[in-house]
């Protein structure tokens, strides 16, 4: 059995354990004082899903340089030197992940999975679909609070949630993205037909796991496309796990005329991969109807 196949099997086992709530990676995250914890509880609220996408759409329509960064537990783990499901820890990655969390120049829309009774949630969210227990949501924001000072916390599951509970809105947003002739950078194992239907033909492939090992090549391939028409505003859709946030950071730092949109696990759902618990509860027929409308 090849080492790559063994690695993929190990990742699948970890995914199952996490979906069952039997695997936690929070042991090395920082713990705040009671005073700071109470301040966060009283001041932090997550932006709702539609407002999140409306804000992003407005930025793209106005051709603002920026990015929608979907931070999660994997990004936090890697920043603190802990392995993620799809990405092994690396000192350089930890440093660059922190730089991604620190981004503030331009239309930067940072998100964090803290939908909960404490910080805000929406109809249809439950323990299987995007609703976190208050204590877990608090751990997420406590571990990253320094990067959200005076900044809004956007929803990281905006497309995912609306794909189920407001399909027409989701379809409208996906059509808007495709109308911008986006460049897709992401998992090369996703069906080319799905990629073409959602985004078009400008693509850069990335590994399905440990994408950081090829980050320099991925960055160079993306830059080659951008430099071909350097003055044009482009939308770049990212779907390469935690390493995607590092790529977003690198491109923003180089001041390309782009908006980078992190797509997330809705792409896995379209591809028939049950990588998240919410996908198991989603209607396959409903997801297929979305693709048929594009």
């Amino acid at each position: 059995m090849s080492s790559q196949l063994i690695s993929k099997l190990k990742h699948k086992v970890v995914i199952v354990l996490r979906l069952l709530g039997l695997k936690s990676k929070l042991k090395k995250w920082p713990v705040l004082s009671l005073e700071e914890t109470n301040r966060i509880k009283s001041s932090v609220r997550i932006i709702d899903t539609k407002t999140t996408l409306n804000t992003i759409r407005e930025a793209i329509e106005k051709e603002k340089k920026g990015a929608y960064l979907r931070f999660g537990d994997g990004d936090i783990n890697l920043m603190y030197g802990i392995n993620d499901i799809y990405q092994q820890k690396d000192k350089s990655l930890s440093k660059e992940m922190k730089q991604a969390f620190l981004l503030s120049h331009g239309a930067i829309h940072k998100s964090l999975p803290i939908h909960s009774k404490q910080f805000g949630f929406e109809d249809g969210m439950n323990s299987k679909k995007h609703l976190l227990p208050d204590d877990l949501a608090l751990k997420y924001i406590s571990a990253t609070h320094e990067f959200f000072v005076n900044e809004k916390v956007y929803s990281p599951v905006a497309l995912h949630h609306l794909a189920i509970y407001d399909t027409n809105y989701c379809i409208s947003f996906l059509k808007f993205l495709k109308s911008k002739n986006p460049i897709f950078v992401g998992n090369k194992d996703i069906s080319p037909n799905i990629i073409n239907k959602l985004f078009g033909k400008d693509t850069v492939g990335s590994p399905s796991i440990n994408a950081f090992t090829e980050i320099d090549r991925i960055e160079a391939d993306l830059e080659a496309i951008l430099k071909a028409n350097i003055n044009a505003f482009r939308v770049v859709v990212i779907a390469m796990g935690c390493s995607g946030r590092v790529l977003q950071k690198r491109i923003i730092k180089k001041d390309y005329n782009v908006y980078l949109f992190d797509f997330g696990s809705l792409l896995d759902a379209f591809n028939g991969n049950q990588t998240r618990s919410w996908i198991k509860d989603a209607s396959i027929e409903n997801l297929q109807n979305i693709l048929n409308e594009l």
Side-chain angles (χ1 to χ4, degrees), residues 16-286:
V16 171
L17 290 175
R18 288 185 70 188
L19 291 176
L20 293 174
L22 300 178
K23 188 169 184 66
S24 174
K25 293 189 173 185
L26 306 184
K27 58 182 179 180
K28 294 184 180 179
W29 292 8
V31 178
L32 298 180
S33 67
L34 179 60
E35 180 181 359
E36 190 66 21
T37 297
N38 288 335
R39 185 196 66 78
I40 288 174
K41 284 183 176 181
S42 64
S43 63
V44 174
R45 292 292 179 271
I46 192 167
I47 303 298
D48 67 84
T49 54
K50 283 189 179 179
T51 301
T52 293
L53 293 184
N54 285 340
T55 302
I56 292 167
R57 180 168 183 156
E58 181 180 2
I60 294 173
E61 287 175 335
K62 293 182 177 179
E63 298 191 354
K64 292 183 178 181
K65 299 176 184 178
Y68 171 50
L69 298 116
R70 298 177 53 261
F71 292 116
D73 63 333
D75 305 275
I76 303 170
N77 284 326
L78 292 167
M79 181 171 63
Y80 288 113
I82 308 169
N83 284 331
D84 176 51
I85 291 178
Y86 297 108
Q87 179 64 61
Q88 292 182 345
K89 63 183 180 180
D90 179 281
K91 288 184 178 179
S92 296
L93 175 54
S94 295
K95 180 180 178 180
E96 291 204 65
M97 188 61 75
K98 184 173 183 179
Q99 292 171 348
F101 269 104
L102 284 167
L103 279 176
S104 60
H105 179 70
I108 302 298
H109 305 111
K110 301 177 188 177
S111 65
L112 199 66
I114 60 169
H115 282 294
S116 58
K117 293 179 180 178
Q118 176 70 57
F119 300 118
F121 68 102
E122 299 174 37
D123 289 344
M125 292 184 176
N126 56 46
S127 60
K128 293 182 179 180
K129 294 196 290 291
H130 315 310
L131 181 66
L132 270 66
D134 286 349
D135 59 343
L136 183 56
L138 182 61
K139 287 181 179 179
Y140 277 57
I141 192 63
S142 295
T144 60
H145 73 105
E146 63 184 294
F147 309 112
F148 288 91
V149 175
N150 298 322
E151 293 192 27
K152 296 177 179 178
V153 181
Y154 290 92
S155 171
V157 296
L159 266 180
H160 312 50
H161 181 71
L162 294 171
I164 300 174
Y165 293 101
D166 195 335
T167 302
N168 289 335
Y169 185 98
C170 180
I171 291 170
S172 175
F173 187 85
L174 291 175
K175 285 183 175 179
F176 167 73
L177 270 187
K178 189 172 183 180
S179 74
K180 297 302 176 180
N181 187 32
I183 304 166
F184 173 75
V185 183
N187 188 348
K188 60 186 178 182
D189 293 339
I190 300 295
S191 165
N193 291 333
I194 291 175
I195 299 302
N196 186 56
K197 181 175 278 289
L198 286 167
F199 312 118
K201 296 183 178 180
D202 280 346
T203 64
V204 175
S206 70
S208 58
I209 59 174
N210 290 320
F212 190 72
T213 60
E214 295 188 28
I215 192 70
D216 293 339
R217 187 272 303 168
I218 295 167
E219 180 184 13
D221 289 352
L222 174 56
E223 286 191 271
I225 298 174
L226 295 174
K227 288 176 179 177
N229 192 357
I230 194 66
N231 293 320
F233 177 81
R234 297 298 303 267
V235 172
V236 181
V237 176
I238 308 286
M240 50 183 285
C242 298
S243 298
R245 264 69 82 189
V246 172
L247 180 65
Q248 288 176 291
K249 182 270 302 184
R250 289 187 179 188
I251 297 300
I252 288 293
K253 290 284 189 180
K254 291 184 176 180
D255 204 33
Y256 281 102
N257 191 24
V258 299
Y259 186 94
L260 301 116
F261 181 87
D262 190 347
F263 199 84
S265 59
L266 180 58
L267 192 59
D268 291 334
F270 284 141
N271 201 53
N273 301 331
Q274 294 187 350
T275 57
R276 298 290 188 274
S277 59
W278 76 267
I279 299 175
K280 291 186 176 183
D281 277 8
S283 165
I284 296 176
E285 181 180 359
N286 189 52

